Amino acid sequence: MTNKSTIRRVSSAVSLVGLLLLACMAAGAATASGAGSKPAMSHEEQLRYGERMYREGILPNGKPMQALVQGDVPVSGSSFTCVSCHLRSGLGATEGTVVTPPTNGRVLFQPRGLLQKNFEMVPTVRKYSLSLPQRPAYTDETLAECIAGGVDPAGRELSRTMPRYHLNEADMAMLIAYLKTLSDRLPPGVSETEMHFATVITDGVRPEDVQAMLLPIETYISKKNGIASAFKRRPQSMRMAVNMMGPDLVAMKMSLSRWHLKGAPDTWRAQLEEYYKKDPVFALLGGIGNGSWEPIHRFCEDHRLPDLFPVTDYPVISSKDWYTLYISKGVFQEGEGAARYLNTMHELLKGKTILQVVRTTRRGKALATGFLSTWKAFGWPAPVTVELSADQPLTPPLLDRLLTKEKPAVLLVWDDAAALPAVAALAHRADRPGMVVMSAVSLGPELRHIPDAARSYLYLTYPYRLPQDDVRYDSFIDFLIKGKSFDEQALRIVKQSYALGALQSQALMEMRGEYYRDFLLDTIGMMPDMDLPLYERLSFGPNQRYASKGCYIVQLGKGDKPELVKRSDWAIR
Amino acid sequence: MNKTVLGIMAVAAFLASSAWADAPPEIFVVTDYAFDRASNPGAPDVVNGLCATRCNALSADYQSYYKPGGWRLIKAESGKKLVVDLDNPFVKGTCSCTGDVYDVYKDIRCPDTVNKGAAAEKK
């Protein structure tokens, strides 16, 4: 592979890149003649610029980095960012058969051997290591040559899909300085012997729901600690566990603190800061709250602290935030599902009115927001919206008046079960809307008691796997719930929390002994779909933060013990 | 092996083999769909997509049998065609949903994982 002609070609390429670099630097110096008068950049500033180059492919001067791929194809660095392959942690990626090496300073500045030390016999790590070539340790100079010329310190040319970046000396130095900070020291909450977590419980949650959330997490931790104890007593009997987890994780104990947040949400931040100061943790696991998760979400963003699968109906909907992974978009997702379903028949709804009756509770508003934002993203005009205050009942006469005035083809009722009598009364109205849509979750136990007359025109958003199908997944959680009693809501929470245990245990096993927060999230982003109770396929693509993306539209079947009948597939887009 | 043990084994085998002796539950896994144009010649093109949704909603998700384990699906019929009403309040017509029919058996190799599901399925 590294024959003489290749080396000559590489050397020529490096020389050429070097000349280009010099030219760039000269040009940079010329254009920045005023730059000499600028104050020297602080180290923090340099790291910020380095981070921007790594994550966004944007130079300190605000322009996109320039690069070549496949030998001579010019590309913009903002399209071929470092982070898209080496990931946020810089610890590399495995996607199918493609293995991307780590690019963080701690790993780069050490020689790479054939196998990862202490993980020689762990099959997953072994396979990963064998996919990467051996090489001497990088230096700043050889790393700069590699980034610019695509040649490693062993003289080996990198894959031609790795862009060769044109950077001037100062920008290159900033990028390398940033790489040195990536995943460079163990985060709080992790030591060689212990991994410490916390779970957040806010005021006002039913005690049985708190227990339902804690049960799978504490069971998982207890089982894991059992393995660690057994390993300590008789390591030779735990060979299979060592092979699955690696020699470090198998011996590691785990612990979970409960952070109770009391009082008004605007006081939670201070409480969280206090908890975190006294009791630093690697990540937050689960957690439960009745209201918005925003204060905890923001706290985690600011402290770069992962927060996995909190049980909340009101997650923060964001396409940019990174540290909180939600199991779904909660109530918002039902509104989104309704919009996706109606979009399949948009041609039939052109010129017709959609009326949205919204109870101005947190739930009603989240449903309406989910619908509206998705509906508008499809390019359709906003529906007519009528808001009802929390204490204004939706009576049959009121609904009659609204329908007489608006004559909608579709009526969305974002309200709870108290609206059912008014909806059922529409059965007698000749010009009732073709479809009435409500949230099945908002109806609670009344879902099974929808009056017969309304079942033909009432469509429901249902964000879970249908009960008659989900029963086949009961075996997953039988060991947790055997001998215990849970109502429907608590059982759902057990299932949500069980998904966290499955996600967490799998992710830790795939982290190759690199227990860094960003790498935990990177690893979860690379995991294949999971088939678990309650939700149809759970998965995170790169940068995705909501594992369940779909929603069914269902109707209630006929009879005293009706089943939910699908009217859509698991609509995800 | 004495006669008592053989007798118990025979009864167990009979019970296992006759668990679904009457009629095993069936599932339909859709493979194709089409709007029946003759059912409403003037219908707009969007009905094809609506038939996709309608037929997919009739389809069982075979993964929800395979993934939890404990189930065996044995193909009973290929290319079965179901003609169903489009069932849409804004446009009339019928859809042809084509798919395969599978008989669903509980896998007796892992009985603990399936009892509850099997009972639910039988209902």
Side-chain angles (χ1 to χ4, degrees):
Chain A
M1 188 165 171
T2 53
N3 59 36
K4 284 182 182 173
S5 66
T6 308
I7 292 172
R8 265 200 306 277
R9 278 204 307 276
V10 171
S11 302
S12 311
V14 172
S15 307
L16 184 62
V17 171
L19 284 173
L20 283 170
L21 272 175
L22 283 172
C24 287
M25 285 158 58
T31 53
S33 54
S37 58
K38 281 187 186 171
M41 215 182 273
S42 71
H43 184 59
E44 285 68 31
E45 245 177 319
Q46 291 192 28
L47 292 182
R48 263 202 308 279
Y49 283 127
E51 181 179 278
R52 190 159 76 147
M53 282 191 269
Y54 184 81
R55 291 190 186 170
E56 300 169 38
I58 302 292
L59 293 165
N61 66 11
K63 293 180 179 167
M65 289 159 69
Q66 296 302 312
L68 294 177
V69 292
Q70 300 295 347
D72 58 357
V73 181
V75 293
S76 162
S78 57
S79 310
F80 283 73
T81 55
C82 310
V83 76
S84 58
C85 294
H86 298 281
L87 305 186
R88 182 120 157 183
S89 62
L91 282 164
T94 308
E95 205 171 327
T97 56
V98 180
V99 174
T100 310
T103 190
N104 60 324
R106 180 174 52 81
V107 175
L108 290 173
F109 289 88
Q110 285 177 7
R112 184 192 293 128
L114 189 62
L115 293 167
Q116 188 172 323
K117 199 179 170 197
N118 298 328
F119 285 80
E120 293 86 348
M121 300 309 290
V122 180
T124 51
V125 181
R126 185 184 171 86
K127 193 176 159 198
Y128 177 84
S129 303
L130 290 174
S131 304
L132 299 171
Q134 298 179 72
R135 56 154 177 76
Y138 278 95
T139 61
D140 283 12
E141 292 71 30
T142 56
L143 183 54
E145 282 173 22
C146 177
I147 293 169
V151 180
D152 79 2
R156 190 182 292 105
E157 187 170 11
L158 305 185
S159 159
R160 286 154 66 88
T161 52
M162 160 76 188
R164 277 54 166 167
Y165 292 98
H166 299 175
L167 296 175
N168 68 34
E169 195 175 7
D171 293 347
M172 181 68 86
M174 277 188 260
L175 180 58
I176 290 175
Y178 175 69
L179 296 180
K180 288 177 181 173
T181 68
L182 277 176
S183 306
D184 65 334
R185 69 188 72 168
L186 279 180
V190 180
S191 70
E192 283 187 2
T193 55
E194 190 182 346
M195 199 174 282
H196 184 47
F197 302 95
T199 191
V200 172
I201 299 160
T202 70
D203 254 358
V205 179
R206 297 191 313 163
E208 55 266 46
D209 291 349
V210 173
Q211 288 311 312
M213 182 276 292
L214 288 171
L215 178 65
I217 303 174
E218 291 186 336
T219 303
Y220 161 67
I221 288 179
S222 158
K223 281 180 181 288
K224 172 66 197 73
N225 288 344
I227 291 171
S229 299
F231 178 72
K232 195 173 178 187
R233 281 197 307 274
R234 296 178 59 191
Q236 69 280 10
S237 68
M238 301 297 288
R239 193 159 295 165
M240 184 187 279
V242 173
N243 276 356
M244 288 176 73
M245 299 182 194
D248 56 347
L249 185 60
V250 76
M252 218 180 250
K253 291 251 181 177
M254 294 190 177
S255 53
L256 182 76
S257 292
R258 299 181 189 184
W259 292 358
H260 290 271
L261 300 182
K262 299 183 188 309
D266 60 1
T267 66
W268 292 355
R269 179 63 184 240
Q271 295 177 54
L272 286 165
E273 295 288 356
E274 192 62 22
Y275 274 124
Y276 188 60
K277 196 171 147 194
K278 286 183 183 161
D279 184 26
V281 293
F282 177 54
L284 299 182
L285 298 183
I288 190 164
N290 287 338
S292 168
W293 201 252
E294 171 105 31
I296 302 124
H297 178 109
R298 289 285 151 242
F299 170 80
C300 290
E301 286 300 308
D302 294 346
H303 286 276
R304 301 187 172 200
L305 178 64
D307 179 9
L308 308 182
F309 285 3
V311 176
T312 173
D313 285 339
Y314 306 103
V316 173
I317 308 299
S318 163
S319 57
K320 290 182 182 164
D321 290 348
W322 173 258
Y323 285 97
T324 301
L325 299 186
Y326 295 101
I327 201 158
S328 78
K329 289 181 184 169
V331 174
F332 181 96
Q333 194 156 308
E334 289 186 76
E336 198 177 64
R340 286 172 178 159
Y341 181 64
L342 291 182
N343 184 54
T344 63
M345 55 193 83
H346 66 88
E347 259 186 71
L348 306 171
L349 296 173
K350 269 184 190 160
K352 295 181 177 166
T353 301
I354 295 177
L355 173 61
Q356 191 177 215
V357 178
V358 184
R359 172 78 54 202
T360 53
T361 54
R362 191 191 301 276
R363 176 172 289 274
K365 286 193 274 191
L367 287 162
T369 307
F371 179 82
L372 188 62
S373 60
T374 313
W375 191 244
K376 284 170 88 172
F378 284 125
W380 312 127
V384 176
T385 298
V386 174
E387 293 191 341
L388 300 177
S389 63
D391 56 356
Q392 183 184 6
L394 181 63
T395 58
L398 173 58
L399 189 54
D400 253 343
R401 282 200 299 278
L402 291 172
L403 296 186
T404 303
K405 183 178 172 206
E406 303 294 346
K407 297 185 175 44
V410 177
L411 169 66
L412 307 164
V413 182
W414 300 134
D415 197 0
D416 58 23
L420 276 178
V423 170
L426 298 180
H428 308 295
R429 193 181 162 110
D431 64 342
R432 69 164 179 263
M435 250 179 212
V436 180
V437 181
M438 293 184 78
S439 147
V441 179
S442 303
L443 297 183
E446 289 305 306
L447 169 64
R448 304 280 169 185
H449 307 294
I450 292 171
D452 273 341
R455 293 184 192 181
S456 65
Y457 57 84
L458 181 54
Y459 293 71
L460 302 158
T461 55
Y462 194 78
Y464 308 116
R465 184 184 289 118
L466 266 51
Q468 58 265 37
D469 292 328
D470 202 48
V471 73
R472 286 189 291 279
Y473 288 80
D474 282 354
S475 56
F476 285 56
I477 57 161
D478 274 349
F479 77 103
L480 286 169
I481 62 172
K482 206 170 183 180
K484 300 184 180 75
S485 171
F486 296 94
D487 64 17
E488 195 176 339
Q489 179 174 316
L491 191 58
R492 207 174 268 162
I493 293 170
V494 170
K495 291 176 179 180
Q496 290 175 328
S497 206
Y498 171 82
L500 163 64
L503 177 89
Q504 166 82 350
S505 54
Q506 188 64 35
L508 288 176
M509 285 195 289
E510 292 185 11
M511 288 176 72
R512 312 191 305 265
E514 300 275 17
Y515 303 113
Y516 294 87
R517 290 169 171 178
D518 281 344
F519 193 48
L520 171 65
L521 299 171
D522 284 341
T523 302
I524 291 171
M526 289 184 281
M527 282 165 52
D529 291 3
M530 296 178 291
D531 275 88
L532 297 171
L534 194 59
Y535 296 94
E536 301 289 4
R537 279 165 284 286
L538 298 175
S539 67
F540 290 104
N543 299 325
Q544 292 180 359
R545 289 295 171 263
Y546 310 93
S548 170
K549 298 160 187 70
C551 184
Y552 283 118
I553 302 297
V554 299
Q555 286 190 288
L556 194 64
K558 296 192 186 327
D560 294 339
K561 292 182 179 172
E563 282 197 337
L564 297 177
V565 180
K566 282 191 274 182
R567 289 297 176 210
S568 76
D569 42 12
W570 184 245
I572 60 170
R573 61 171 87 84
Chain B
M1 200 176 289
N2 64 36
K3 285 181 181 175
T4 313
V5 174
L6 281 173
I8 291 169
M9 286 174 67
V11 170
F14 170 76
L15 289 175
S17 66
S18 62
W20 299 117
D22 301 338
E26 283 182 349
I27 60 166
F28 180 73
V29 178
V30 77
T31 54
D32 201 4
Y33 64 87
F35 179 68
D36 180 4
R37 186 51 68 180
S39 66
N40 183 354
D45 287 346
V46 71
V47 287
N48 289 315
L50 296 180
C51 278
T53 305
R54 178 81 174 97
C55 293
N56 279 335
L58 287 178
S59 183
D61 180 358
Y62 69 90
Q63 296 226 44
S64 77
Y65 289 85
Y66 284 122
K67 293 287 182 177
W71 300 89
R72 282 189 302 149
L73 301 181
I74 296 178
K75 195 180 275 188
E77 191 179 344
S78 285
K80 181 173 181 173
K81 191 175 272 190
L82 294 177
V83 177
V84 294
D85 194 287
L86 180 56
D87 209 5
N88 186 289
F90 308 113
V91 61
K92 301 292 173 208
T94 55
C95 304
S96 293
C97 308
T98 309
D100 300 330
V101 177
Y102 292 83
D103 289 339
V104 179
Y105 295 90
K106 65 176 180 175
D107 190 338
I108 57 171
R109 287 169 299 183
C110 39
D112 288 348
T113 63
V114 300
N115 290 341
K116 202 181 280 185
E121 199 64 38
K122 204 172 179 183
K123 281 180 207 165

